[in-house]
Amino acid sequence: MDTNENKVEAITSMNKETHFEILTPLPVPLSCIQCVVHNHEIVICGGYKNKECYSYHTIKNEYNKITNAITLLSFGGQGNFEKKCTLIMKYVSVWDDNYGKENKVSNINKTEKFNEWIQFTDNHNNPIYIGKFEEDYNGIRAIISGNAKNLLFITYPPRNINVFDLNTFQFVKQDVLPIDNEPLGYHCFVPKTENLNKNVSEMFLFCRNAGLSIGYDEHNNIFQYRNVWVCTTLKSLFSYGYAYVNDSILFFSGRDVHTRCASKEIHKYSVIENTWTKFEQTLDVPLTDCNVIVSEDNAFVHIVGGYDEEEAVSTHMKMRLKRWLEGKTKTEIQWTIEEEEKKDIEESKRDSEGIKKQFTIKKLKKKRDTEMIIEHWIRSLSLKMGWIDDFNIIRKYFKFLKLLQGHFKKVNSVAFSPDGTNIASASYDGTVQVWDISSDNAIQILKGHTTCVNDAQFSPDGNTIVSCSEDATIRLWNVKTGKEIKVLEGHSGDVIRVRFSPDGNTIVSSSDDHTMRLWDSQSGKEIKVLECSVNDVQFSPDGQQIVSASNDQKIRIWNVKSGEISKTLEYSDSVITIQFSRDGCLFVSTSINGTIQIWDAISYSQLKKMFVHSAVISDVKFFPDGQIIVSCAWDGSIQLWDVKFGMELQRLQRNVLPVTRVGVSPDGNKIVASSHDKTIQLWEPL
């Protein structure tokens, strides 16, 4: 083995589990770089705030510095027009034995400049500029295609695509991409390697939620677009490395748009099959803004540079492409099946949004492969997720039913009776009203509180209502007569929430006096005082525990009998509301930062975190089957979510003012919501 081979052996290592071969690191950390394959070289062209350029020799596993050279064609940029220069370079390998000897290389015109910047000019030596002063080329992507390989396609913010002819030095087309609400930047833009129609250039573009197949007809100078569904685990990522090879697009890592954290995930989109894969194997470290380049023989893919969670890195690794283009593992197959179900959810959601145009809901019922589903349910049960054993799930979609009006101030809460025939509402006007759903009438108006009523709930038998108020009292009411039964006093401040235990014998209340209190519902006597500032509180279905949500960014689980805290869960922000699923396997919480989190009530592990609202989420409720939750927020929105996948199913929008609370009927066939607009709204299934 010669010296060079010994060196390569010493500085490389193969991780057999990850299939990645770690190569000689970059001479300096680089991110946001551009790379070009040239024979056995990878020309590495500068980076963010760094003009260093190198050639990496794929056989020697060494770097050689290139002076005064960045890329074959460089254009765009930020700032004033002068900074948006357009340059070209004629590259000659720096590994040539004659390179560096007075810049002379055999078979090269001695008067011609190479490996250095020159101004891009037309045939009359006039400077050519690609890009205008007002255009933002930050995060730009460009490719060369066309029948004669003379067309430069440029995609840049906010949603632009331009065509520049490199022969005539003119822009020949500008268009706006059909990707609403997804501004471009640091996206994937690749040409299809083989086009059946030579006059049509085919390309693919992916940017967060948006996926497009783009066709450009040179003869007619027109674009055609076709939407491509993006898998759910890639939707929140950007600044990923990507490569097109063998009719597949590989996506490496990326940055999460919500958390801003770098990812380790690897995805593949198969162009021919129109399917996605998320590989079981991941990168060893999180990475973003890396460059991915395929070797000239299509045997390897190189991952070069980028950012980890904090700074630019000098990472350089390669892997054999065969592993990522062949069959799927069992885990990957299962992921694909679930993604297909998520795709159907999104399609059904789009259909549901066309209700006003009398669209018909499609694909609400989907046949799935029984064998694979059985495996899925077994795994789900082991996690105690509580999914029902139903292989033909029909998700409910809702339409507006009616509006109940009677309060003359903001409505703070609503709740269904146990039989689903009545609704109790609490209002700033100091009253609790009981509504008959069938007649739309308030059959009882309960008066006794001296100021705003914050909450009202039915007892498990439906005969009693408990309410709480800013007047520091809790009151019990007879539903049939509307008469006050008892007044529970003990809190020294505004009582925020009140709940019956499942057996109806105990009441729990929370107050801004920094206490929770347990009461005997029959005698009205105080049982326990628990020191804690709480926004929301609820009994577990078995009545043995209480779960509380607090501004101190904590969820606490309390033992009802002892009054002790059995578990504390840390949150990232103030916790607004919390609720158990009917079977007690899950509980869901909401935060002031607009997130919903689903928790395993046995292991207390977080199962899902959804970034769902742009405003404070005021309430969330499980449907009886535990598969759907409904949330409402201060931005006036009401949304339905699939618990299993954490995906939005439907948005019910009738409010401009904040929605305060939501409820679901015991049979899951009605949704009720209260609002600052003084109304109560009801929805029913389509």
Side-chain angles (χ1 to χ4, degrees):
M1 186 178 289
D2 61 27
T3 304
N4 188 59
E5 288 175 330
N6 281 324
K7 182 178 180 182
V8 173
E9 181 69 23
I11 61 177
T12 63
S13 62
M14 175 64 79
N15 186 328
K16 294 181 179 179
E17 292 183 357
T18 64
H19 305 279
F20 292 109
E21 184 177 346
I22 309 303
L23 303 175
T24 303
L26 292 166
V28 294
L30 292 172
S31 66
C32 300
I33 60 179
Q34 298 298 316
C35 298
V36 179
V37 171
H38 178 69
N39 297 325
H40 295 299
E41 301 175 55
I42 297 175
V43 180
I44 301 169
C45 307
Y48 179 64
K49 293 185 177 180
N50 194 318
K51 295 182 179 180
E52 298 290 330
C53 304
Y54 300 89
S55 172
Y56 170 78
H57 201 287
T58 58
I59 297 176
K60 296 180 179 180
N61 192 26
E62 294 179 354
Y63 297 90
N64 202 338
K65 190 171 184 179
I66 305 172
T67 58
N68 301 320
I70 290 182
T71 189
L72 300 177
L73 174 65
S74 177
F75 64 95
Q78 291 178 288
N80 57 38
F81 183 76
E82 288 75 17
K83 290 185 179 180
K84 289 190 174 181
C85 57
T86 303
L87 304 170
I88 63 170
M89 176 195 67
K90 292 188 176 181
Y91 177 71
V92 175
S93 175
V94 295
W95 300 95
D96 191 289
D97 291 338
N98 292 318
Y99 182 79
K101 296 179 181 179
E102 298 180 356
N103 280 350
K104 294 180 180 179
V105 178
S106 59
N107 301 323
I108 295 294
N109 187 333
K110 294 182 180 180
T111 63
E112 191 171 18
K113 295 181 180 180
F114 59 91
N115 288 18
E116 64 180 78
W117 284 110
I118 59 173
Q119 175 69 51
F120 187 38
T121 59
D122 62 19
N123 296 330
H124 302 287
N125 209 33
N126 297 315
I128 297 170
Y129 297 95
I130 300 176
K132 301 176 183 178
F133 172 77
E134 66 273 12
E135 292 177 329
D136 179 10
Y137 275 5
N138 188 28
I140 188 175
R141 296 289 187 260
I143 58 177
I144 293 176
S145 187
N147 190 25
K149 300 299 180 185
N150 64 310
L151 299 181
L152 178 68
F153 294 87
I154 309 164
T155 52
Y156 60 95
R159 299 172 187 87
N160 299 308
I161 182 167
N162 288 354
V163 187
F164 183 84
D165 193 317
L166 295 170
N167 289 339
T168 63
F169 313 116
Q170 298 292 324
F171 280 100
V172 294
K173 181 71 173 179
Q174 181 169 9
D175 207 1
V176 177
L177 295 166
I179 49 172
D180 295 342
N181 303 318
E182 287 299 339
L184 290 179
Y186 304 98
H187 50 286
C188 167
F189 186 42
V190 295
K192 190 174 180 181
T193 51
E194 292 186 9
N195 296 327
L196 297 177
N197 186 345
K198 296 299 182 182
N199 289 321
V200 177
S201 298
E202 295 184 58
M203 299 152 276
F204 288 93
L205 182 146
F206 292 96
C207 182
R208 301 182 182 91
N209 290 325
L212 287 177
S213 172
I214 304 171
Y216 174 69
D217 187 328
E218 292 185 44
H219 180 73
N220 296 305
N221 193 24
I222 58 172
F223 278 105
Q224 292 183 331
Y225 304 101
R226 178 177 60 84
N227 288 322
V228 178
W229 185 74
V230 183
C231 69
T232 59
T233 48
L234 193 70
K235 286 180 185 293
S236 63
L237 298 179
F238 68 103
S239 289
Y240 29 60
Y242 57 88
Y244 188 111
V245 59
N246 291 0
D247 286 315
S248 292
I249 305 174
L250 295 170
F251 298 82
F252 296 87
S253 62
R255 188 178 297 279
D256 190 281
V257 68
H258 301 296
T259 65
R260 314 302 294 182
C261 294
S263 167
K264 297 193 291 184
E265 294 178 346
I266 304 172
H267 293 82
K268 179 181 75 173
Y269 172 67
S270 172
V271 172
I272 295 176
E273 298 175 0
N274 189 28
T275 58
W276 288 89
T277 302
K278 189 181 86 167
F279 292 103
E280 189 174 359
Q281 180 61 60
T282 65
L283 296 177
D284 289 336
V285 294
L287 205 59
T288 184
D289 293 302
C290 60
N291 191 276
V292 177
I293 193 88
V294 179
S295 63
E296 214 164 39
D297 60 2
N298 280 357
F300 293 95
V301 63
H302 289 253
I303 302 172
V304 186
Y307 279 105
D308 58 12
E309 293 288 1
E310 298 177 353
E311 57 187 1
V313 297
S314 57
T315 300
H316 185 178
M317 66 182 84
K318 74 175 183 180
M319 65 175 189
R320 288 193 178 276
L321 278 168
K322 183 179 179 182
R323 158 67 184 95
W324 310 97
L325 300 176
E326 57 189 17
K328 300 177 182 179
T329 67
K330 188 175 181 179
T331 300
E332 291 162 1
I333 291 172
Q334 181 58 43
W335 179 90
T336 301
I337 290 173
E338 292 185 356
E339 281 298 300
E340 283 298 311
E341 188 172 351
K342 293 177 184 180
K343 183 179 180 181
D344 282 349
I345 289 173
E346 289 191 0
E347 289 177 353
S348 296
K349 177 177 176 287
R350 284 196 299 270
D351 287 340
S352 73
E353 290 170 353
I355 291 172
K356 291 181 180 179
K357 298 179 181 179
Q358 297 183 343
F359 276 57
T360 302
I361 296 299
K362 304 174 183 177
K363 295 188 178 180
L364 299 184
K365 185 174 182 180
K366 181 190 175 211
K367 292 287 185 180
R368 290 171 288 175
D369 186 277
T370 303
E371 188 172 307
M372 294 304 301
I373 293 302
I374 289 174
E375 289 182 9
H376 168 68
W377 295 131
I378 290 172
R379 285 197 296 275
S380 297
L381 288 171
S382 69
L383 293 173
K384 297 182 174 63
M385 291 288 286
W387 319 124
I388 64 169
D389 188 14
D390 181 359
F391 299 151
N392 293 307
I393 296 172
I394 301 178
R395 294 180 179 87
K396 292 178 181 177
Y397 292 81
F398 287 78
K399 63 181 180 181
F400 181 72
L401 175 61
K402 63 179 72 175
L403 197 69
L404 304 180
Q405 295 176 292
H407 289 290
F408 60 88
K409 287 187 178 181
K410 301 172 185 177
V411 186
N412 290 324
S413 80
V414 283
F416 280 101
S417 61
D419 63 6
T421 61
N422 296 330
I423 292 170
S425 59
S427 171
Y428 269 88
D429 64 16
T431 69
V432 175
Q433 297 194 22
V434 183
W435 303 82
D436 178 76
I437 295 175
S438 61
S439 67
D440 305 346
N441 295 323
I443 55 176
Q444 297 289 355
I445 298 178
L446 312 180
K447 297 179 180 180
H449 288 291
T450 59
T451 185
C452 166
V453 186
N454 291 318
D455 197 10
Q457 300 288 321
F458 283 94
S459 61
D461 61 12
N463 296 325
T464 307
I465 287 176
V466 63
S467 62
C468 61
S469 168
E470 286 183 358
D471 65 11
T473 68
I474 299 164
R475 296 173 190 256
L476 293 170
W477 310 83
N478 184 291
V479 173
K480 289 184 179 181
T481 65
K483 292 184 178 180
E484 183 179 283
I485 302 171
K486 286 184 178 65
V487 179
L488 312 184
E489 296 180 297
H491 283 294
S492 60
D494 183 358
V495 187
I496 303 167
R497 290 286 185 269
V498 65
R499 293 285 187 275
F500 275 104
S501 62
D503 62 9
N505 294 328
T506 308
I507 293 169
V508 62
S509 60
S510 63
S511 168
D512 65 4
D513 65 7
H514 305 295
T515 69
M516 291 193 306
R517 296 174 189 247
L518 293 173
W519 311 80
D520 184 292
S521 61
Q522 298 301 315
S523 66
K525 292 183 179 179
E526 185 178 279
I527 302 171
K528 283 187 179 70
V529 178
L530 310 176
E531 301 290 335
C532 189
S533 179
V534 172
N535 290 322
D536 196 13
V537 61
Q538 192 196 22
F539 280 98
S540 61
D542 63 6
Q544 301 302 306
Q545 294 178 313
I546 293 171
V547 63
S548 66
S550 301
N551 279 333
D552 63 2
Q553 304 180 7
K554 288 181 174 61
I555 295 171
R556 294 176 176 86
I557 292 88
W558 306 76
N559 182 289
V560 172
K561 188 174 182 179
S562 67
E564 300 294 325
I565 298 172
S566 57
K567 187 72 176 179
T568 300
L569 305 177
E570 299 290 336
Y571 221 88
S572 58
D573 215 323
S574 297
V575 192
I576 302 301
T577 187
I578 198 158
Q579 195 212 11
F580 274 100
S581 60
R582 180 179 285 186
D583 61 8
C585 291
L586 306 173
F587 60 85
V588 60
S589 59
T590 70
S591 173
I592 198 171
N593 63 12
T595 62
I596 294 175
Q597 296 192 35
I598 299 173
W599 305 80
D600 187 310
I602 309 301
S603 67
Y604 302 114
S605 59
Q606 179 184 297
L607 302 176
K608 296 284 180 192
K609 184 174 183 178
M610 295 114 76
F611 299 86
V612 296
H613 283 280
S614 59
V616 176
I617 305 173
S618 48
D619 199 15
V620 64
K621 291 289 191 299
F622 274 101
F623 272 66
D625 63 8
Q627 292 191 88
I628 299 173
I629 55 175
V630 57
S631 64
C632 63
W634 287 86
D635 61 6
S637 63
I638 302 170
Q639 290 168 271
L640 274 67
W641 305 90
D642 181 272
V643 172
K644 177 181 171 185
F645 297 125
M647 296 176 64
E648 183 185 59
L649 295 173
Q650 190 180 2
R651 183 181 293 256
L652 310 175
Q653 191 77 40
R654 287 192 63 86
N655 299 83
V656 176
L657 296 175
V659 182
T660 53
R661 303 290 285 280
V662 289
V664 181
S665 62
D667 62 4
N669 285 328
K670 285 185 176 61
I671 296 172
V672 65
S674 56
S675 172
H676 276 194
D677 67 4
K678 309 173 190 177
T679 69
I680 299 162
Q681 302 101 45
L682 279 163
W683 284 264
E684 66 178 358
L686 290 169

